[in-house]
Amino acid sequence: MLEFSHFNEQGRARMVDIGDKHETNRIAIAQSSLLLSEEIYNKMTSGSIEKGDVLAIAQIAGIMAAKQTSHIIPMCHPIALTSVDIFFQWERAEDTNRLIITCSVKTRGSTGVEMEALTAASVCALTVYDMCKAIDKGMIIGPTFLVKKTGGKSGDFTRIE
């Protein structure tokens, strides 16, 4: 039987002991996106969404989510984050409007920040959906994925497209 780090000798869930791991600088970048209607795109870019500045609110929600990841993902350790930064970019094609959300999270610690970056990206996307659903509930969220991570025992990772 394979050993899984999140199970104890009885096969029950446990939080991994990171007490003996060396502190290193750790960075994780995650991305999510939303496919949006032309109407939502026009209202967002002109600042005419009735609920307010969608991207500003989504950015704050993402930062808050990164800081609260250990409260909602059971096996995540509470981490002292040193930075959370969120960027938005529009990708437009003939009949599609995609909002790309990129979240960068940093710490100096004994465990990585991949889950914090993924949580931030996901909550950003969910916040955009929440603020725009009165206009169109047909938005599509995703994909959401890890773009890059540095630091730690397992080494660096960069997604290859």
Side-chain angles (χ1 to χ4, degrees), residues 6-7 12-16 69-70 72-78:
H6 285 76
F7 293 109
R12 313 274 306 160
R14 72 171 178 147
M15 181 182 269
V16 173
T69 299
S70 68
I72 59 173
I73 307 292
M75 300 303 166
C76 283
H77 293 81

Side-chain angles (χ1 to χ4, degrees), residues 21-22 24-26 109-112 149-156:
K21 291 175 76 177
H22 296 290
T24 60
N25 291 322
R26 296 162 184 265
S110 302
T111 191
K149 82 103 179 157
T150 62
K153 182 179 170 184
S154 67
D156 296 349

Side-chain angles (χ1 to χ4, degrees), residues 60-131:
I60 296 300
I63 292 168
M64 292 173 64
K67 294 175 4 178
Q68 295 297 315
T69 299
S70 68
H71 291 231
I72 59 173
I73 307 292
M75 300 303 166
C76 283
H77 293 81
I79 297 175
L81 303 179
T82 59
S83 173
V84 179
D85 206 354
I86 299 171
F87 303 92
F88 301 99
Q89 174 186 343
W90 287 104
E91 195 175 85
R92 298 197 70 208
E94 185 175 315
D95 59 347
T96 60
N97 302 290
R98 182 177 295 276
L99 177 64
I100 308 291
I101 301 163
T102 304
C103 299
S104 174
V105 179
K106 297 179 183 179
T107 193
R108 175 157 184 84
S110 302
T111 191
V113 287
E114 298 96 283
M115 293 308 300
E116 287 72 12
L118 288 161
T119 300
S122 299
V123 169
C124 270
L126 289 168
T127 301
V128 171
Y129 187 97
D130 179 52
M131 293 192 67

Side-chain angles (χ1 to χ4, degrees), residues 28-86:
I29 299 170
Q31 195 171 88
S32 190
S33 64
L34 292 100
L35 279 176
L36 307 165
S37 68
E38 187 71 17
E39 181 181 9
I40 291 175
Y41 170 80
N42 289 333
K43 287 187 175 192
M44 281 181 69
T45 56
S46 69
S48 59
I49 301 279
E50 291 180 15
K51 291 184 178 183
D53 184 340
V54 174
L55 298 184
I57 294 167
Q59 190 160 18
I60 296 300
I63 292 168
M64 292 173 64
K67 294 175 4 178
Q68 295 297 315
T69 299
S70 68
H71 291 231
I72 59 173
I73 307 292
M75 300 303 166
C76 283
H77 293 81
I79 297 175
L81 303 179
T82 59
S83 173
V84 179
D85 206 354
I86 299 171

